[in-house]
């Protein structure tokens, strides 16, 4: 027997398969043990500002006792019961009722799931079922965008538009089709933002026509592309793409897993920020402030009306759902979060501090290694650009992230971006601390690069 007790890091490396990890790496994991407000603490007692809310989800910050109490109370009252067939438990019904008063337009039917991936998966499976019921079984094709992120089930992973996510695994290829993302920062030189918007919208229309409207089932889009680099589309893009979808009978799925429940200062971004009412919205993460794993595919009354009740197809049966769909404890957590959101005016707070957040981040443009700063609400990124060499830009952003971590700030590195999405309860003081550490880390990275240049010259 081993006389020396293994450390947590050693046990982790021995047993855990981490999502999106390098299986060839022997690096120690960063083990986060506790949290309070906007801070987390690792198992060695180091304190960090968590400027990514765990993973875009811990909207109320850490250690919220009201959330913990609501979860504990529901565990004691009813920890679980099956949602299958005609069975139900009160929290999911209460949550659906509450949400139906917050969703855009007539989106008032909820298929609860246990993650964002299963919400997106359910939305697509619903779209296929819907067209089968309407006697249009050829309508199966799904259009997504480069740099999109929609999850990690087989189907959702096939809709991810990041090239780096698509090595070594297999993907569905016959019914998924990508079009370009609408990143105005990457538009062709000399092109106006308006023309760029029309170019991207035309690409969607061309793709639908290439597939044929009889085969194109749905278009899926994040209102603001999150993991793909906080890409905010040009004004009017969502409205115009929705119009194209309506013109050809293609369903519009808005993937609001990141953007709903306060991140942009609204319950839902689709209508309040971008002026559209999609056919389906998918949510997860912030719906329960990340305190419990919960997601939902939200379907419009119009779609449901065509395939349910007296309109239901003969012998049709909706065989889609999960053991934990509408789990009472996860729904109780979401109900408590919505109560706190309303009482503490979280949306109003985000609108106020979000403006300050962007103003402060904009000051980082003064540094030559900062190529772009963009964001909305409490969702932002700093893009590092030093040359045309992608790898060099990625190395610079990673160095900035490493300096940040050393100075007590966790930011999310993605390619050449430092992605930020702090808890929604953050105050101006916390924002100042984030931007100050970022500033120091950018300066440290530049100093290091300059020194390396000088050393090269003196060789
Ligand atoms: C827009 C979007 N959709 C879906 C997902 C998948 O959610 P989950 O990781 O909960 O399955 C994510 C996760 O980051 C996301 O950002």
């Amino acid at each position: 027997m081993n006389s020396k007790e293994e450390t947590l890091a050693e046990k982790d490396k021995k047993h855990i398969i981490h999502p999106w990890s390098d299986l060839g790496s022997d690096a120690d994991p960063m083990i986060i043990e506790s949290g309070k407000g906007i801070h987390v603490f690792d198992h060695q007692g180091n304190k960090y500002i968590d400027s990514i809310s765990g993973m875009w989800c811990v909207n109320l910050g850490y250690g919220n006792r009201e959330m913990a109490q609501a979860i504990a109370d529901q565990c004691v009252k009813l920890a679980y019961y099956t949602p299958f067939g005609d069975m139900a438990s009160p929290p999911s019904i209460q949550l659906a009722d509450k949400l139906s008063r917050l969703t855009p337009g007539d989106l008032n039917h909820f298929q609860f799931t246990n993650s964002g991936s299963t919400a997106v998966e359910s939305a697509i499976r619903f779209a296929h079922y819907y067209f089968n019921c309407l006697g249009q079984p050829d309508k199966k094709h799904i259009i997504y965008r480069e740099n999109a992120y929609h999850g990690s089930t087989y189907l959702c992973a096939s809709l991810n538009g990041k090239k780096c996510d698509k090595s070594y695994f297999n993907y569905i290829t016959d019914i998924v089709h990508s079009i370009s993302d609408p990143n105005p920062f990457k538009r062709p030189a000399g092109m106006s933002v308006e023309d760029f918007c029309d170019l991207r919208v035309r690409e969607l229309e061309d793709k639908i026509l290439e597939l044929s409207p009889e085969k194109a089932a749905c278009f899926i889009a994040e209102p603001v592309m999150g993991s793909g680099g906080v890409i905010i589309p040009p004004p009017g893009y969502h409205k115009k793409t929705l119009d194209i979808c309506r013109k050809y009978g293609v369903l519009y799925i808005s993937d609001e897993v990141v953007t709903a429940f306060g991140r942009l200062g609204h319950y839902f971004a689709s209508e309040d920020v971008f002026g559209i009412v999609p056919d389906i919205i998918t949510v997860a993460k912030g719906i329960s402030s990340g305190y419990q794993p919960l997601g939902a595919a939200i379907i419009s009354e119009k779609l449901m009306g065509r395939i349910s009740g007296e309109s239901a197809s003969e012998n049709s049966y909706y065989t889609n759902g999960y053991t934990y769909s509408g789990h009472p404890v996860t729904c109780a957590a979401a109900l408590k979060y919505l109560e706190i959101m309303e009482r503490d005016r979280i949306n109003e707070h985000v609108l106020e501090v979000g403006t300050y957040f962007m103003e402060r981040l904009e000051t980082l443009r003064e540094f030559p290694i900062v190529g772009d700063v963009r964001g909305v609400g409490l969702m932002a990124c700093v893009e590092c650009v030093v040359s045309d060499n992608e790898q060099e830009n990625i190395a610079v952003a990673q160095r900035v992230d490493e300096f940040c971590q050393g100075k007590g700030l966790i930011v999310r590195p993605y390619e050449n971006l430092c992605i930020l999405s702090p808890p929604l309860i953050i105050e101006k003081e916390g924002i100042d601390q984030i931007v100050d550490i970022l500033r120091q880390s950018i300066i440290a990275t530049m100093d290091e690069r300059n020194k390396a240049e000088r050393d090269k010259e003196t060789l």
Side-chain angles (χ1 to χ4, degrees):
M1 212 180 79
N2 196 343
S3 58
K4 190 171 150 277
E5 172 74 29
E6 285 177 323
T7 63
L8 271 181
E10 282 164 348
K11 289 176 184 170
D12 178 283
K13 285 198 277 189
K14 200 163 152 187
H15 299 295
I16 304 271
I17 302 172
H18 288 266
W20 266 261
S21 61
D22 174 358
L23 297 187
S25 163
D26 191 42
D28 278 356
M30 181 180 191
I31 302 173
I32 299 297
E33 199 172 69
S34 63
K36 186 78 199 142
I38 63 167
H39 293 101
V40 290
F41 300 84
D42 69 19
H43 73 309
Q44 287 158 337
N46 297 310
K47 181 179 178 181
Y48 304 90
I49 297 177
D50 178 24
S51 80
I52 55 172
S53 299
M55 181 91 143
W56 317 93
C57 55
V58 188
N59 289 357
L60 288 178
Y62 298 88
N64 185 298
R65 290 197 170 272
E66 284 182 278
M67 290 295 292
Q69 194 60 52
I71 291 165
D73 289 347
Q74 186 58 46
C75 280
V76 173
K77 193 168 183 182
L78 180 73
Y80 174 77
Y81 211 76
T82 173
F84 276 54
D86 53 8
M87 304 300 289
S89 55
S92 60
I93 303 170
Q94 288 155 354
L95 179 60
D97 177 58
K98 173 85 189 161
L99 287 171
S100 68
R101 280 175 269 128
L102 302 173
T103 45
D106 66 341
L107 282 115
N108 59 20
H109 290 264
F110 302 85
Q111 169 154 23
F112 290 118
T113 71
N114 33 39
S115 66
S117 303
T118 46
V120 171
E121 182 90 17
S122 289
I124 308 260
R125 291 198 68 206
F126 175 88
H128 285 173
Y129 178 86
Y130 172 80
F131 286 120
N132 288 340
C133 289
L134 296 186
Q136 298 172 270
D138 290 339
K139 251 172 128 55
K140 289 288 179 296
H141 292 257
I142 308 151
I143 302 170
Y144 68 99
R145 300 171 310 165
E146 283 164 10
N147 279 313
Y149 185 72
H150 296 297
S152 190
T153 58
Y154 213 117
L155 176 55
C156 295
S158 306
L159 302 172
N160 289 340
K162 297 197 236 168
K163 286 188 194 77
C164 61
D165 283 351
K166 289 203 160 161
S167 59
Y168 282 89
F169 274 104
N170 290 87
Y171 297 92
I172 294 167
T173 51
D174 53 344
I175 56 164
V176 304
H177 310 271
S178 75
I179 57 172
S180 310
D181 71 48
N183 186 355
F185 183 60
K186 302 255 164 78
R187 70 184 183 277
M191 184 180 272
S192 72
V193 172
E194 292 75 20
D195 287 349
F196 174 69
C197 179
D198 291 342
L199 180 75
R200 290 292 177 260
V201 173
R202 230 177 6 256
E203 201 182 328
L204 173 64
E205 183 161 23
D206 289 346
K207 182 59 78 179
I208 294 172
L209 292 173
E210 180 194 318
L211 296 169
S212 97
E214 288 71 39
K215 291 188 175 170
C218 54
F219 170 57
I220 182 161
E222 298 154 79
V224 174
M225 299 175 87
S227 312
V230 189
I231 297 172
I232 304 168
Y237 170 85
H238 285 303
K239 174 89 182 52
K240 288 179 177 172
T241 48
L242 178 68
D243 288 345
I244 293 291
C245 287
R246 292 274 148 83
K247 183 171 165 190
Y248 296 108
V250 171
L251 300 183
Y252 190 110
I253 302 173
S254 185
D255 185 354
E256 290 226 37
V257 163
V258 167
T259 54
F261 303 108
R263 180 115 332 254
L264 303 194
H266 298 277
Y267 285 103
F268 293 89
S270 296
E271 189 173 29
D272 287 337
V273 183
F274 296 102
I276 64 160
V277 177
D279 298 298
I280 302 176
I281 292 180
T282 49
V283 294
K285 295 191 189 273
I287 187 173
S288 57
S289 188
Y291 275 60
Q292 289 285 296
L294 175 64
I298 311 175
I299 318 277
S300 75
E301 175 76 33
K302 189 165 129 209
L303 299 191
M304 283 304 292
R306 287 189 184 144
I307 59 157
S308 62
E310 285 180 2
S311 307
S313 306
E314 207 178 329
N315 295 327
S316 64
Y317 209 60
Y318 190 68
T319 47
N320 181 34
Y322 310 93
T323 297
Y324 295 139
S325 291
H327 190 293
V329 180
T330 65
C331 292
L335 279 164
K336 182 51 77 176
Y337 174 54
L338 293 176
E339 185 191 316
I340 296 172
M341 264 192 99
E342 201 172 329
R343 185 196 67 201
D344 295 354
R345 302 173 62 81
I346 297 287
N347 282 329
E348 290 80 350
H349 176 73
V350 171
L351 289 176
E352 193 199 324
V353 296
T355 308
Y356 183 71
F357 186 46
M358 288 315 302
E359 279 168 13
R360 291 287 282 116
L361 285 174
E362 283 287 334
T363 64
L364 301 175
R365 281 186 191 270
E366 71 174 276
F367 297 110
I369 65 169
V370 173
D372 192 29
V373 173
R374 54 182 179 268
V376 51
L378 284 174
M379 181 175 186
C381 81
V382 175
E383 179 156 5
C384 298
V385 182
V386 291
S387 74
D388 290 340
N389 181 332
E390 216 175 301
Q391 289 313 316
E392 201 183 345
N393 295 333
I394 292 172
V396 168
Q398 277 176 353
R399 208 58 198 120
V400 173
D401 287 327
E402 280 159 13
F403 278 120
C404 283
Q405 201 150 307
K407 295 173 193 299
L409 173 71
I410 301 178
V411 297
R412 181 152 184 244
Y414 165 62
E415 294 190 346
N416 63 329
L417 311 173
C418 308
I419 296 185
L420 304 150
S421 57
L424 308 186
I425 52 154
I426 195 165
E427 298 290 350
K428 289 182 178 170
E429 191 195 347
I431 289 174
D432 286 338
Q433 287 166 358
I434 290 178
V435 179
D436 288 348
I437 295 178
L438 264 169
R439 174 176 291 274
Q440 291 160 18
S441 302
I442 290 168
I443 292 171
T445 306
M446 285 179 4
D447 287 349
E448 194 177 67
R449 282 175 56 80
N450 291 338
K451 184 173 176 307
E453 277 302 313
R454 281 198 305 274
D455 289 351
K456 230 190 294 171
E457 280 164 17
T458 52
L459 271 184

